[in-house]
Amino acid sequence: MCPKEKTENKRKGGKNVYGMEPAELKSLFVSWGKPAYRGDQVFRWLYQKKAASFEEMTDIPGELAGKLNETLGIQSLVCLKKLRSGDGARKFLFGLEDGRRIETVFIPEAGRRTVCVSTQVGCKIGCPFCVSGSGGFIRQLTTHEIVTQVLEAARLTGEEISNIVFMGIGEPLDNTVHVLRAVRILNHPLGMKIGARRITISTCGLIPGIETLRDFDLQVKLSVSLHAVKNDLRDGLVPVNRTYPLEKLMAALEDYDRTKGRLVTLEYALISGINDSDADASRLAGLAGKIKAKVNLIPCNPGMGDAFRAPSGNRTYSFKRILEDRKITVTRRNTKGRDILAACGQLVFDREPEAAESNGKEK
Ligand code: SAH
């Protein structure tokens, strides 16, 4: 077998090192009769020094680097395109090994450097106002494809990442296994050390996933994309509501808060003439008050036609006031990155994968 074939086979079958937690790396070394601490060394090299090859890891003996190369893949994502917004946000189009593509956004703000990561190629949920999910579902992202979005965003911007939001393409709680493994890797003290409280997972309301997160030992934040306060409207805006209707969702969130001791944020995309009436605001205040949730208002971003537009500034203000008068903490999500289609619901997913040969070219 020629060396090239060997590499290709290994890449297809082998485990990718970016999908492994330190404990797994340690077990690998122990299984080779080598000291466990080598696992921690490799992990540090990957995330603290951002080494891109085993050979660069100067305190790992050459023989072990060779063995690692034979056993594990170390390839990251390929950046196919970079866009920079006038407001400082940056968007990266990344190519995956199978030629599929995903997008990741870097959002600099006073005191924080946030990466918004994708969790699936496409999405199954089908919210009619969301461009990111409009083409249907293709596949789950694996742990290493999630982890390396953050690593590459750090490399490409030269910044230290302080926060992560799972608010890119896809539904994180429909891919819980890989998302939570990625959270552990990104949070690990020997790696990027991103505090659990600085990691937010956003969901359209999948109750089994909310229960998994409730039982997960790290104190990550939970955001729920509510967008409607009545079942008939929510059935249309967030179709998964037909399976997990509002009353069940709110009960699951109450249980989450009670068990985990973590308050939830309710995301509410304000859509003109659809969910932005005073009555909607009052009902939202009632729901949020009941579970002591914060509310994050997102004026609807364009992309899915005239039916889905943001209300006027006055309407948005009145809506917000009704919540504030009821003592609900309300924030208004800024629309960073809108000019490069990097704001909420604007990430497009791969419709026509580029041929693998074009990977590697930076545009
Ligand atoms: N699937 C998860 C993660 C996506 S987060 C979830 O639903 O929470 C992206 C957020 O942007 C979600 O709250 C989504 O509902 C919202 N969103 C989608 N399209 C939007 C649009 N056009 N304007 C404003 N927010 C939008």
Side-chain angles (χ1 to χ4, degrees):
M1 188 187 277
C2 76
K4 186 162 179 282
E5 277 175 336
K6 209 171 151 198
T7 313
E8 280 170 358
N9 284 344
K10 181 191 69 199
R11 285 187 173 190
K12 284 191 186 106
K15 236 183 171 177
N16 188 305
V17 71
Y18 292 113
M20 294 172 78
E21 296 178 40
E24 294 168 299
L25 281 165
K26 283 183 185 170
S27 309
L28 182 66
F29 280 104
V30 170
S31 75
W32 292 341
K34 303 291 174 197
Y37 71 83
R38 295 281 182 211
D40 288 348
Q41 279 179 309
V42 168
F43 196 81
R44 266 195 224 105
W45 272 105
L46 292 174
Y47 299 104
Q48 294 190 353
K49 298 183 206 149
K50 308 204 172 44
S53 70
F54 296 118
E55 290 74 24
E56 274 170 63
M57 304 180 178
T58 47
D59 50 5
I60 302 291
E63 166 231 349
L64 279 184
K67 234 167 138 57
L68 283 165
N69 255 327
E70 275 167 30
T71 317
L72 301 174
I74 188 172
Q75 62 281 7
S76 184
L77 302 168
V78 179
C79 184
L80 300 171
K81 200 166 164 185
K82 304 181 220 173
L83 290 172
R84 192 190 290 260
S85 161
D87 60 28
R90 297 180 67 182
K91 183 166 84 162
F92 305 111
L93 176 71
F94 288 123
L96 309 175
E97 280 166 71
D98 62 355
R100 298 290 180 193
R101 298 176 298 180
I102 49 164
E103 293 187 354
T104 304
V105 183
F106 169 78
I107 311 152
E109 282 166 318
R112 54 167 87 171
R113 299 279 177 271
T114 303
V115 178
C116 175
V117 299
S118 294
T119 53
Q120 298 177 320
V121 183
C123 184
K124 296 177 194 163
I125 309 300
C127 305
F129 54 93
C130 178
V131 182
S132 311
S134 60
F137 176 76
I138 294 193
R139 73 164 172 89
Q140 303 287 9
L141 291 186
T142 56
T143 306
H144 70 88
E145 289 169 335
I146 299 172
V147 167
T148 48
Q149 288 176 62
V150 182
L151 188 65
E152 287 305 324
R155 277 191 183 133
L156 289 161
T157 58
E159 299 274 4
E160 190 154 328
I161 306 305
S162 64
N163 293 62
I164 299 172
V165 292
F166 284 86
M167 296 188 180
I169 303 164
E171 166 52 44
L173 296 187
D174 183 36
N175 187 12
T176 323
V177 170
H178 290 291
V179 165
L180 296 187
R181 275 179 71 82
V183 165
R184 277 191 197 292
I185 292 171
L186 293 162
N187 168 255
H188 201 283
L190 295 176
M192 295 183 82
K193 288 189 255 194
I194 298 170
R197 287 164 197 274
R198 291 170 170 266
I199 299 177
T200 302
I201 294 183
S202 183
T203 180
C204 59
L206 300 184
I207 293 178
I210 293 171
E211 290 168 351
T212 304
L213 205 58
R214 173 197 65 195
D215 301 333
F216 183 56
D217 55 337
L218 297 179
Q219 289 286 332
V220 293
K221 284 197 201 163
L222 174 64
S223 274
V224 177
S225 300
L226 201 68
H227 306 328
V229 287
K230 286 195 166 164
N231 279 323
D232 52 353
L233 182 58
R234 197 163 190 271
D235 282 350
L237 286 182
V238 188
V240 79
N241 193 69
R242 295 184 199 131
T243 312
Y244 304 111
L246 276 168
E247 50 293 349
K248 290 199 173 142
L249 175 60
M250 296 316 286
L253 297 181
E254 244 179 317
D255 166 54
Y256 179 89
D257 171 30
R258 208 177 24 243
T259 312
K260 194 147 186 154
R262 294 291 281 151
L263 298 181
V264 170
T265 298
L266 299 177
E267 308 281 343
Y268 197 91
L270 277 171
I271 311 172
S272 180
I274 292 187
N275 65 359
D276 63 342
S277 69
D278 288 353
D280 289 318
S282 274
R283 228 181 131 82
L284 177 57
L287 291 180
K290 197 157 171 252
I291 60 164
K292 303 190 286 310
K294 273 199 315 197
V295 172
N296 192 8
L297 297 175
I298 319 167
C300 184
N301 289 310
M304 290 299 279
D306 281 349
F308 301 105
R309 286 179 296 106
S312 67
N314 280 345
R315 180 86 294 267
T316 305
Y317 178 77
S318 309
F319 194 96
K320 190 163 175 260
R321 272 300 295 273
I322 292 172
L323 289 157
E324 285 166 346
D325 288 347
R326 299 268 298 267
K327 307 282 178 261
I328 305 297
T329 308
V330 198
T331 49
R332 190 180 141 168
R333 167 90 49 87
N334 64 31
T335 46
K336 261 193 189 270
R338 237 191 194 191
D339 56 340
I340 53 165
L341 296 182
C344 297
Q346 291 190 308
L347 303 182
V348 284
F349 93 96
D350 152 46
R351 280 162 214 235
E352 295 159 57
E354 279 179 18
E357 295 80 61
S358 68
N359 284 357
K361 276 187 213 152
E362 271 198 12
K363 290 174 198 154

Short mmCIF file of all heavy atoms in Angstrom, two decimals, residues 134-183:
data_model
loop_
_atom_site.label_atom_id
_atom_site.label_comp_id
_atom_site.label_asym_id
_atom_site.label_seq_id
_atom_site.Cartn_x
_atom_site.Cartn_y
_atom_site.Cartn_z
N SER A 134 -33.83 26.20 6.28
CA SER A 134 -34.86 26.12 5.24
C SER A 134 -34.63 25.00 4.22
O SER A 134 -35.53 24.66 3.48
CB SER A 134 -34.96 27.46 4.52
OG SER A 134 -33.73 27.77 3.92
N GLY A 135 -33.46 24.44 4.18
CA GLY A 135 -33.21 23.41 3.15
C GLY A 135 -33.32 21.99 3.66
O GLY A 135 -32.94 21.05 2.97
N GLY A 136 -33.81 21.81 4.87
CA GLY A 136 -33.93 20.44 5.41
C GLY A 136 -32.64 19.96 6.05
O GLY A 136 -31.65 20.69 6.15
N PHE A 137 -32.68 18.70 6.44
CA PHE A 137 -31.58 18.13 7.24
C PHE A 137 -30.67 17.27 6.37
O PHE A 137 -31.15 16.51 5.54
CB PHE A 137 -32.20 17.27 8.35
CG PHE A 137 -31.21 16.53 9.19
CD1 PHE A 137 -30.47 17.20 10.16
CD2 PHE A 137 -31.02 15.17 9.03
CE1 PHE A 137 -29.54 16.52 10.96
CE2 PHE A 137 -30.10 14.48 9.83
CZ PHE A 137 -29.37 15.16 10.79
N ILE A 138 -29.36 17.39 6.59
CA ILE A 138 -28.44 16.50 5.88
C ILE A 138 -27.76 15.52 6.83
O ILE A 138 -27.87 14.32 6.68
CB ILE A 138 -27.41 17.30 5.05
CG1 ILE A 138 -28.17 18.03 3.94
CG2 ILE A 138 -26.35 16.36 4.48
CD1 ILE A 138 -27.33 18.60 2.86
N ARG A 139 -27.07 16.05 7.84
CA ARG A 139 -26.46 15.12 8.79
C ARG A 139 -26.05 15.82 10.08
O ARG A 139 -26.00 17.04 10.15
CB ARG A 139 -25.27 14.39 8.16
CG ARG A 139 -24.02 15.25 7.96
CD ARG A 139 -22.82 14.32 7.69
NE ARG A 139 -21.61 15.01 7.30
CZ ARG A 139 -20.69 15.47 8.16
NH1 ARG A 139 -20.89 15.39 9.47
NH2 ARG A 139 -19.59 16.04 7.71
N GLN A 140 -25.78 15.00 11.09
CA GLN A 140 -25.28 15.52 12.36
C GLN A 140 -23.82 15.94 12.20
O GLN A 140 -23.09 15.33 11.41
CB GLN A 140 -25.31 14.43 13.45
CG GLN A 140 -26.66 13.79 13.70
CD GLN A 140 -27.62 14.72 14.44
OE1 GLN A 140 -27.36 15.91 14.64
NE2 GLN A 140 -28.75 14.18 14.83
N LEU A 141 -23.39 16.93 12.95
CA LEU A 141 -21.95 17.18 13.04
C LEU A 141 -21.40 16.29 14.15
O LEU A 141 -22.08 15.98 15.13
CB LEU A 141 -21.69 18.65 13.39
CG LEU A 141 -22.04 19.67 12.30
CD1 LEU A 141 -21.60 21.07 12.73
CD2 LEU A 141 -21.40 19.31 10.98
N THR A 142 -20.15 15.87 13.95
CA THR A 142 -19.51 15.03 14.97
C THR A 142 -18.82 15.94 16.00
O THR A 142 -18.65 17.14 15.76
CB THR A 142 -18.47 14.11 14.32
OG1 THR A 142 -17.54 14.96 13.63
CG2 THR A 142 -19.10 13.16 13.33
N THR A 143 -18.38 15.31 17.09
CA THR A 143 -17.75 16.10 18.16
C THR A 143 -16.61 16.96 17.62
O THR A 143 -16.54 18.15 17.89
CB THR A 143 -17.19 15.14 19.24
OG1 THR A 143 -18.25 14.30 19.67
CG2 THR A 143 -16.63 15.91 20.42
N HIS A 144 -15.73 16.34 16.82
CA HIS A 144 -14.56 17.12 16.38
C HIS A 144 -14.95 18.25 15.43
O HIS A 144 -14.31 19.30 15.39
CB HIS A 144 -13.44 16.22 15.82
CG HIS A 144 -13.75 15.58 14.50
ND1 HIS A 144 -13.50 16.18 13.31
CD2 HIS A 144 -14.27 14.37 14.21
CE1 HIS A 144 -13.84 15.35 12.32
NE2 HIS A 144 -14.32 14.25 12.84
N GLU A 145 -16.04 18.06 14.68
CA GLU A 145 -16.47 19.15 13.77
C GLU A 145 -17.07 20.32 14.56
O GLU A 145 -17.09 21.44 14.08
CB GLU A 145 -17.50 18.60 12.77
CG GLU A 145 -16.87 17.68 11.74
CD GLU A 145 -17.89 16.91 10.91
OE1 GLU A 145 -19.03 16.71 11.38
OE2 GLU A 145 -17.55 16.50 9.79
N ILE A 146 -17.54 20.05 15.75
CA ILE A 146 -18.06 21.14 16.60
C ILE A 146 -16.89 21.82 17.31
O ILE A 146 -16.74 23.04 17.28
CB ILE A 146 -19.10 20.59 17.61
CG1 ILE A 146 -20.29 19.99 16.85
CG2 ILE A 146 -19.56 21.69 18.56
CD1 ILE A 146 -21.29 19.25 17.71
N VAL A 147 -16.01 21.01 17.91
CA VAL A 147 -14.88 21.56 18.65
C VAL A 147 -13.99 22.42 17.75
O VAL A 147 -13.57 23.52 18.13
CB VAL A 147 -14.04 20.39 19.26
CG1 VAL A 147 -12.70 20.88 19.77
CG2 VAL A 147 -14.83 19.70 20.37
N THR A 148 -13.72 21.93 16.55
CA THR A 148 -12.77 22.66 15.70
C THR A 148 -13.35 23.97 15.14
O THR A 148 -12.59 24.83 14.71
CB THR A 148 -12.22 21.77 14.55
OG1 THR A 148 -13.32 21.12 13.91
CG2 THR A 148 -11.23 20.74 15.06
N GLN A 149 -14.66 24.14 15.18
CA GLN A 149 -15.22 25.45 14.80
C GLN A 149 -14.70 26.52 15.76
O GLN A 149 -14.33 27.62 15.36
CB GLN A 149 -16.74 25.46 14.86
CG GLN A 149 -17.41 24.66 13.76
CD GLN A 149 -18.92 24.63 13.96
OE1 GLN A 149 -19.57 25.67 13.94
NE2 GLN A 149 -19.48 23.45 14.16
N VAL A 150 -14.66 26.17 17.04
CA VAL A 150 -14.20 27.15 18.04
C VAL A 150 -12.69 27.33 17.92
O VAL A 150 -12.18 28.46 17.95
CB VAL A 150 -14.59 26.67 19.47
CG1 VAL A 150 -14.16 27.70 20.51
CG2 VAL A 150 -16.09 26.41 19.56
N LEU A 151 -12.00 26.22 17.75
CA LEU A 151 -10.54 26.28 17.62
C LEU A 151 -10.13 27.11 16.39
O LEU A 151 -9.25 27.98 16.47
CB LEU A 151 -10.01 24.85 17.50
CG LEU A 151 -8.51 24.67 17.55
CD1 LEU A 151 -7.98 25.06 18.93
CD2 LEU A 151 -8.15 23.21 17.28
N GLU A 152 -10.78 26.87 15.27
CA GLU A 152 -10.44 27.61 14.04
C GLU A 152 -10.82 29.09 14.17
O GLU A 152 -10.11 29.96 13.68
CB GLU A 152 -11.10 26.99 12.81
CG GLU A 152 -10.48 25.67 12.38
CD GLU A 152 -8.97 25.76 12.12
OE1 GLU A 152 -8.48 26.79 11.62
OE2 GLU A 152 -8.27 24.79 12.46
N ALA A 153 -11.95 29.36 14.85
CA ALA A 153 -12.34 30.77 15.03
C ALA A 153 -11.26 31.47 15.86
O ALA A 153 -10.88 32.62 15.57
CB ALA A 153 -13.69 30.88 15.71
N ALA A 154 -10.71 30.79 16.85
CA ALA A 154 -9.64 31.37 17.66
C ALA A 154 -8.38 31.57 16.81
O ALA A 154 -7.73 32.61 16.86
CB ALA A 154 -9.34 30.47 18.86
N ARG A 155 -8.06 30.57 16.01
CA ARG A 155 -6.86 30.68 15.14
C ARG A 155 -7.01 31.81 14.13
O ARG A 155 -6.12 32.62 13.93
CB ARG A 155 -6.66 29.38 14.35
CG ARG A 155 -5.94 28.30 15.11
CD ARG A 155 -5.57 27.18 14.12
NE ARG A 155 -4.93 26.07 14.81
CZ ARG A 155 -5.26 24.79 14.62
NH1 ARG A 155 -6.21 24.46 13.78
NH2 ARG A 155 -4.62 23.85 15.26
N LEU A 156 -8.18 31.85 13.48
CA LEU A 156 -8.37 32.82 12.39
C LEU A 156 -8.47 34.26 12.88
O LEU A 156 -8.16 35.18 12.15
CB LEU A 156 -9.63 32.45 11.59
CG LEU A 156 -9.50 31.19 10.73
CD1 LEU A 156 -10.87 30.63 10.36
CD2 LEU A 156 -8.71 31.50 9.46
N THR A 157 -8.93 34.43 14.11
CA THR A 157 -9.08 35.80 14.62
C THR A 157 -7.90 36.19 15.51
O THR A 157 -7.71 37.36 15.81
CB THR A 157 -10.36 35.95 15.49
OG1 THR A 157 -10.28 35.01 16.57
CG2 THR A 157 -11.61 35.70 14.68
N GLY A 158 -7.14 35.20 15.97
CA GLY A 158 -6.04 35.46 16.89
C GLY A 158 -6.56 35.88 18.27
O GLY A 158 -5.82 36.44 19.08
N GLU A 159 -7.82 35.63 18.54
CA GLU A 159 -8.43 36.05 19.81
C GLU A 159 -8.59 34.86 20.74
O GLU A 159 -8.75 33.73 20.29
CB GLU A 159 -9.82 36.64 19.55
CG GLU A 159 -9.83 37.84 18.66
CD GLU A 159 -9.59 39.15 19.41
OE1 GLU A 159 -9.34 39.13 20.62
OE2 GLU A 159 -9.67 40.19 18.74
N GLU A 160 -8.65 35.18 22.03
CA GLU A 160 -8.99 34.13 22.99
C GLU A 160 -10.51 34.10 23.11
O GLU A 160 -11.14 35.14 23.35
CB GLU A 160 -8.36 34.48 24.33
CG GLU A 160 -8.45 33.34 25.29
CD GLU A 160 -7.35 33.40 26.34
OE1 GLU A 160 -6.24 33.89 26.01
OE2 GLU A 160 -7.61 32.98 27.46
N ILE A 161 -11.08 32.94 22.95
CA ILE A 161 -12.55 32.85 22.96
C ILE A 161 -13.04 32.77 24.41
O ILE A 161 -12.55 31.96 25.20
CB ILE A 161 -13.03 31.61 22.16
CG1 ILE A 161 -12.43 31.62 20.74
CG2 ILE A 161 -14.55 31.52 22.14
CD1 ILE A 161 -12.69 32.86 19.92
N SER A 162 -14.03 33.62 24.74
CA SER A 162 -14.53 33.62 26.12
C SER A 162 -15.91 32.97 26.25
O SER A 162 -16.25 32.45 27.31
CB SER A 162 -14.62 35.06 26.65
OG SER A 162 -15.57 35.80 25.89
N ASN A 163 -16.70 33.01 25.19
CA ASN A 163 -18.07 32.50 25.26
C ASN A 163 -18.41 31.67 24.02
O ASN A 163 -17.88 31.94 22.94
CB ASN A 163 -19.08 33.66 25.31
CG ASN A 163 -18.99 34.46 26.58
OD1 ASN A 163 -17.97 35.06 26.89
ND2 ASN A 163 -20.06 34.48 27.34
N ILE A 164 -19.30 30.71 24.21
CA ILE A 164 -19.78 29.94 23.06
C ILE A 164 -21.30 29.93 23.10
O ILE A 164 -21.90 29.72 24.16
CB ILE A 164 -19.29 28.48 23.12
CG1 ILE A 164 -17.76 28.44 23.09
CG2 ILE A 164 -19.83 27.66 21.95
CD1 ILE A 164 -17.20 27.05 23.33
N VAL A 165 -21.92 30.16 21.96
CA VAL A 165 -23.36 29.98 21.87
C VAL A 165 -23.66 28.93 20.80
O VAL A 165 -23.13 29.01 19.70
CB VAL A 165 -24.12 31.31 21.58
CG1 VAL A 165 -24.02 32.27 22.77
CG2 VAL A 165 -23.63 32.02 20.33
N PHE A 166 -24.44 27.94 21.17
CA PHE A 166 -24.85 26.91 20.21
C PHE A 166 -26.10 27.43 19.52
O PHE A 166 -27.20 27.00 19.80
CB PHE A 166 -25.09 25.58 20.93
CG PHE A 166 -23.82 24.87 21.31
CD1 PHE A 166 -23.19 25.15 22.51
CD2 PHE A 166 -23.24 23.93 20.46
CE1 PHE A 166 -22.00 24.52 22.86
CE2 PHE A 166 -22.06 23.29 20.81
CZ PHE A 166 -21.43 23.58 22.01
N MET A 167 -25.87 28.42 18.65
CA MET A 167 -26.99 29.09 17.98
C MET A 167 -26.76 29.20 16.48
O MET A 167 -27.36 30.04 15.81
CB MET A 167 -27.18 30.50 18.56
CG MET A 167 -27.57 30.51 20.03
SD MET A 167 -28.00 32.17 20.57
CE MET A 167 -28.39 31.87 22.29
N GLY A 168 -25.87 28.39 15.96
CA GLY A 168 -25.64 28.40 14.52
C GLY A 168 -26.64 27.48 13.82
O GLY A 168 -27.77 27.30 14.30
N ILE A 169 -26.21 26.88 12.73
CA ILE A 169 -27.13 26.02 11.97
C ILE A 169 -27.40 24.74 12.75
O ILE A 169 -26.49 24.12 13.30
CB ILE A 169 -26.49 25.66 10.61
CG1 ILE A 169 -26.15 26.93 9.82
CG2 ILE A 169 -27.40 24.74 9.79
CD1 ILE A 169 -25.19 26.71 8.68
N GLY A 170 -28.69 24.33 12.77
CA GLY A 170 -29.04 23.05 13.38
C GLY A 170 -29.66 23.17 14.75
O GLY A 170 -29.74 24.26 15.33
N GLU A 171 -30.10 22.04 15.27
CA GLU A 171 -30.75 21.98 16.58
C GLU A 171 -29.84 21.19 17.53
O GLU A 171 -29.72 19.97 17.43
CB GLU A 171 -32.13 21.32 16.42
CG GLU A 171 -32.80 20.89 17.70
CD GLU A 171 -32.91 21.99 18.78
OE1 GLU A 171 -33.26 23.13 18.48
OE2 GLU A 171 -32.61 21.66 19.95
N PRO A 172 -29.18 21.90 18.46
CA PRO A 172 -28.20 21.24 19.33
C PRO A 172 -28.77 20.05 20.11
O PRO A 172 -28.09 19.04 20.27
CB PRO A 172 -27.77 22.34 20.31
CG PRO A 172 -28.21 23.62 19.71
CD PRO A 172 -29.29 23.34 18.72
N LEU A 173 -30.01 20.17 20.57
CA LEU A 173 -30.54 19.08 21.39
C LEU A 173 -31.11 17.93 20.55
O LEU A 173 -31.66 16.97 21.09
CB LEU A 173 -31.56 19.61 22.41
CG LEU A 173 -30.95 20.58 23.45
CD1 LEU A 173 -31.98 20.92 24.53
CD2 LEU A 173 -29.68 20.02 24.09
N ASP A 174 -30.93 18.02 19.24
CA ASP A 174 -31.20 16.88 18.37
C ASP A 174 -29.87 16.17 18.08
O ASP A 174 -29.81 15.23 17.29
CB ASP A 174 -31.86 17.38 17.07
CG ASP A 174 -32.24 16.26 16.13
OD1 ASP A 174 -32.66 15.19 16.62
OD2 ASP A 174 -32.11 16.43 14.89
N ASN A 175 -28.81 16.66 18.68
CA ASN A 175 -27.47 16.06 18.49
C ASN A 175 -26.74 16.10 19.84
O ASN A 175 -25.58 16.48 19.92
CB ASN A 175 -26.71 16.87 17.42
CG ASN A 175 -25.39 16.22 17.02
OD1 ASN A 175 -25.12 15.07 17.38
ND2 ASN A 175 -24.55 16.97 16.32
N THR A 176 -27.47 15.69 20.87
CA THR A 176 -26.99 15.89 22.24
C THR A 176 -25.66 15.21 22.52
O THR A 176 -24.81 15.77 23.20
CB THR A 176 -28.06 15.36 23.24
OG1 THR A 176 -29.32 15.66 22.70
CG2 THR A 176 -27.95 16.03 24.57
N VAL A 177 -25.49 13.99 22.02
CA VAL A 177 -24.27 13.25 22.35
C VAL A 177 -23.03 14.03 21.92
O VAL A 177 -22.11 14.28 22.70
CB VAL A 177 -24.29 11.84 21.70
CG1 VAL A 177 -22.94 11.16 21.84
CG2 VAL A 177 -25.39 11.00 22.34
N HIS A 178 -23.02 14.46 20.66
CA HIS A 178 -21.83 15.17 20.16
C HIS A 178 -21.71 16.57 20.76
O HIS A 178 -20.61 17.03 21.04
CB HIS A 178 -21.86 15.23 18.62
CG HIS A 178 -21.63 13.89 18.00
ND1 HIS A 178 -20.41 13.26 18.07
CD2 HIS A 178 -22.46 13.05 17.36
CE1 HIS A 178 -20.50 12.08 17.45
NE2 HIS A 178 -21.74 11.93 17.02
N VAL A 179 -22.85 17.23 20.95
CA VAL A 179 -22.80 18.59 21.50
C VAL A 179 -22.23 18.55 22.93
O VAL A 179 -21.34 19.33 23.28
CB VAL A 179 -24.21 19.24 21.48
CG1 VAL A 179 -24.27 20.48 22.36
CG2 VAL A 179 -24.58 19.59 20.04
N LEU A 180 -22.68 17.62 23.73
CA LEU A 180 -22.22 17.61 25.13
C LEU A 180 -20.77 17.13 25.24
O LEU A 180 -20.02 17.60 26.10
CB LEU A 180 -23.16 16.78 26.02
CG LEU A 180 -24.59 17.37 26.13
CD1 LEU A 180 -25.42 16.61 27.14
CD2 LEU A 180 -24.58 18.86 26.47
N ARG A 181 -20.37 16.23 24.37
CA ARG A 181 -18.94 15.84 24.35
C ARG A 181 -18.08 17.06 23.97
O ARG A 181 -17.04 17.32 24.57
CB ARG A 181 -18.68 14.74 23.31
CG ARG A 181 -18.94 13.35 23.80
CD ARG A 181 -18.67 12.35 22.68
NE ARG A 181 -17.24 12.23 22.38
CZ ARG A 181 -16.41 11.47 23.07
NH1 ARG A 181 -16.84 10.79 24.09
NH2 ARG A 181 -15.13 11.40 22.73
N ALA A 182 -18.54 17.81 22.99
CA ALA A 182 -17.80 19.01 22.56
C ALA A 182 -17.73 20.01 23.72
O ALA A 182 -16.69 20.63 23.95
CB ALA A 182 -18.46 19.64 21.34
N VAL A 183 -18.82 20.15 24.46
CA VAL A 183 -18.83 21.08 25.60
C VAL A 183 -17.77 20.66 26.60
O VAL A 183 -17.00 21.49 27.10
CB VAL A 183 -20.24 21.12 26.27
CG1 VAL A 183 -20.18 21.77 27.64
CG2 VAL A 183 -21.23 21.85 25.37
#
